[in-house]
Amino acid sequence: AQSVTQPDIHITVSEGASLELRCNYSYGATPYLFWYVQSPGQGLQLLLKYFSGDTLVQGIKGFEAEFKRSQSSFNLRKPSVHWSDAAEYFCAVGARGYQKVTFGIGTKLQVIP
Amino acid sequence: DAGVIQSPRHEVTEMGQEVTLRCKPISGHDYLFWYRQTMMRGLELLIYFNNNVPIDDSGMPEDRFSAKMPNASFSTLKIQPSEPRDSAVYFCASSHRGPEAFFGQGTRLTVV
């Protein structure tokens, strides 16, 4: 069974600073990988996904993530954070050929002026 | 499309009462998922349907929980009888042919 670890429960960054949120997964083969964002009181919105091909994927809102097979990681990055990026971010992993996706516990991002 | 629509947005009920949560998936999507989100356990998949047929209900916590999808545009999650530990945010999500899911805004359930 697949699993995903988000080691940082809470991260605080200054507005304009760069951001990297960590995600490590466990799965025997090449997985499907996702990053979702959840604003308070809202549902989850897909930021980006990796299925195959280029290991650097671009998403919405200026986010990108890089799949590193050797490190079993799929870290999310943004070069310059905006106050509106404050939210909770979830990494998720899925097995090819299956619809079930396993979510990480989430990383709550706080942005300070 | 209006996205995945869930109702109600908030539900407060007394222990022992029946609770029904409703979901309208995005038109044309053939997969529907029910998730539960709590502080302690995070986001858990309860059940998912493909073309209105339940495929995997291994995440349903116990027999008090049941889900149906009578047609492609409607699904329900029912808890009977409800208990305080069922308090959580319940999300419905839908997808087309793959695991990339679109989520509704959720129903916050409080059982007192």
Side-chain angles (χ1 to χ4, degrees):
Chain A
Q2 66 264 30
S3 66
V4 60
T5 302
Q6 294 181 248
D8 304 306
I9 300 298
H10 190 272
I11 282 186
T12 300
V13 299
S14 298
E15 191 169 13
S18 63
L19 172 69
E20 182 168 29
L21 302 183
R22 296 183 291 165
C23 172
N24 292 97
Y25 68 89
S26 174
Y27 181 61
T30 301
Y32 292 146
L33 294 161
F34 308 86
W35 275 100
Y36 284 85
V37 61
Q38 183 181 29
S39 298
Q42 302 297 313
L44 280 72
Q45 180 185 20
L46 181 69
L47 281 176
L48 48 79
K49 62 183 184 284
Y50 172 79
F51 284 179
S52 64
D54 194 345
T55 57
L56 183 64
V57 294
Q58 303 297 321
I60 62 172
K61 305 185 181 189
F63 286 92
E64 67 177 26
E66 187 171 11
F67 170 56
K68 292 186 177 180
R69 185 191 306 276
S70 61
Q71 299 177 18
S72 298
S73 69
F74 189 58
N75 294 348
L76 182 72
R77 301 193 294 250
K78 187 170 185 178
S80 177
V81 169
H82 188 262
W83 63 267
S84 60
D85 294 323
E88 192 156 17
Y89 292 80
F90 294 89
C91 181
V93 60
R96 292 177 182 276
Y98 295 91
Q99 304 307 313
K100 291 179 71 168
V101 171
T102 300
F103 284 82
I105 199 69
T107 297
K108 189 163 290 187
L109 173 66
Q110 181 181 8
V111 180
I112 56 176
Chain B
D1 199 313
V4 176
I5 300 173
Q6 292 186 244
S7 64
R9 289 294 311 277
H10 301 274
E11 176 81 38
V12 180
T13 190
E14 292 185 345
M15 182 174 61
Q17 296 298 306
E18 177 179 294
V19 176
T20 300
L21 312 181
R22 297 172 175 80
C23 175
K24 176 178 167 54
I26 293 172
S27 177
H29 282 191
D30 49 355
Y31 286 90
L32 184 138
F33 307 84
W34 282 101
Y35 286 89
R36 179 172 67 176
Q37 186 179 38
T38 61
M39 289 290 291
M40 293 299 295
R41 301 173 68 89
L43 203 62
E44 304 172 280
L45 177 64
L46 300 177
I47 185 171
Y48 77 92
F49 296 82
N50 178 216
N51 292 323
N52 313 337
V53 177
I55 302 301
D56 187 339
D57 65 354
S58 60
M60 296 285 261
E62 48 197 278
D63 292 345
R64 297 185 296 106
F65 287 69
S66 63
K68 293 182 180 179
M69 193 166 185
N71 57 62
S73 59
F74 183 66
S75 177
T76 60
L77 178 69
K78 187 175 293 186
I79 308 173
Q80 166 63 14
S82 58
E83 297 182 3
R85 60 195 169 114
D86 302 329
S87 297
V89 181
Y90 291 82
F91 287 103
C92 175
S94 68
S95 73
H96 178 52
R97 295 188 188 172
E100 176 185 342
F102 294 81
F103 282 74
Q105 291 192 301
T107 295
R108 181 175 295 277
L109 173 64
T110 303
V111 183
V112 298

